[in-house]
Amino acid sequence: MAWRSLELCRVRLPEHHVRFYKVVGEATQTGAHVLKACPHLLPLIQTVSVVLTRFHSAEIIPAFAACLATLPNLIAIQVIHAHSQMTTAIKNTFEGKRFPSVRRISLPCSAHEIIKSCPNAEEVICTEGNGSTIIGSIIKGDCQQVRDLKGISAPLTRLVKALPNLKHISLAKGGDMTPFTSFPILDTIEIEVGCSLRQDLPLSELAPSDIEEASKILKENKSQADKTVIVTKWNHVWNHATFRFEVDKGYMIREVIKV
């Protein structure tokens, strides 16, 4: 459906030299102005993607937050990139705001403050950083509905009590699974292997010890649901510009192992 996904960061860069942050910032401003002028579009939008830079940040970040507040059917927020020095500006802008309809949020650690405004989020994806600040915002925002947690490499011990509904966790090959034993209804562990590993082997042979450990953890917990270990391999180097919640299957391959 047209307008279901609003990409405030989508731009066509001119051939002559231009500063990326300026073009993206101006595109975000234009998108916010279009929505303000076309209120009939607001109920149609379910996903918003944005890049947050320091370009006119005192104007653009509040405009972005105000834009989100006007979308009654917003389901997903995707912050493709946020400048590492934007954390305070994002915190000041989003403090006290609530977007209860949001169920999925994908963002780098530098934008972690936005999570606290999404108390009903069910899926949280960290795209940059180890996720430690994202863990903190999940706890402070009392986001107890999170069921899927992806891209976090920081220890998850702090989330054991905070996320009683956690069912799906992803981690890199060789990551520490020790805290996973404390999530009682966990039914899926996803192991991400590097794109540089051998192409001629089945995915299950790229991480045998990880699969064995994950299977043991799932077998011993209390969940009555079907349990699976998923091995995921990206077929290309990560590119923020091509990321989507519904990932093109051509970019990745998966093997699902029933436990």
Side-chain angles (χ1 to χ4, degrees), residues 189-223:
I189 297 177
E190 184 172 354
I191 302 164
E192 299 181 356
V193 299
C195 61
S196 61
L197 295 179
R198 288 181 57 177
Q199 303 290 328
D200 58 331
L201 292 178
L203 293 186
S204 56
E205 295 184 24
L206 296 179
S209 58
D210 296 78
I211 294 172
E212 181 180 1
E213 183 180 3
S215 298
K216 183 176 184 295
I217 290 172
L218 293 176
K219 286 178 180 178
E220 294 178 352
N221 73 14
K222 299 178 181 179
S223 174

Side-chain angles (χ1 to χ4, degrees), residues 51-68:
V51 170
L52 299 176
T53 73
R54 290 188 296 173
F55 177 75
H56 291 181
S57 59
E59 302 169 13
I60 291 178
I61 296 180
F64 170 59
C67 171
L68 297 180

Side-chain angles (χ1 to χ4, degrees), residues 139-200:
I139 295 171
K140 293 177 182 177
D142 196 25
C143 304
Q144 297 187 27
Q145 302 306 313
V146 174
R147 299 179 181 180
D148 293 2
L149 190 61
K150 302 175 182 178
I152 303 285
S153 58
L156 300 179
T157 308
R158 289 187 293 161
L159 289 177
V160 172
K161 294 182 179 180
L163 297 184
N165 300 309
L166 192 63
K167 302 181 71 174
H168 182 138
I169 301 177
S170 75
L171 78 164
K173 176 187 175 183
D176 181 16
M177 298 188 201
T178 305
F180 294 7
T181 59
S182 301
F183 294 102
I185 63 171
L186 188 67
D187 59 38
T188 302
I189 297 177
E190 184 172 354
I191 302 164
E192 299 181 356
V193 299
C195 61
S196 61
L197 295 179
R198 288 181 57 177
Q199 303 290 328
D200 58 331

Side-chain angles (χ1 to χ4, degrees), residues 112-133:
H112 69 92
E113 294 286 348
I114 298 176
I115 294 176
K116 293 189 286 187
S117 297
C118 306
N120 298 320
E122 297 176 356
E123 179 179 6
V124 176
I125 304 172
C126 173
T127 60
E128 189 177 316
N130 69 358
S132 60
T133 55

Side-chain angles (χ1 to χ4, degrees), residues 24-41:
V24 171
E26 290 174 344
T28 303
Q29 284 180 312
T30 300
H33 291 156
V34 169
L35 288 183
K36 189 173 182 179
C38 304
H40 59 282
L41 297 176

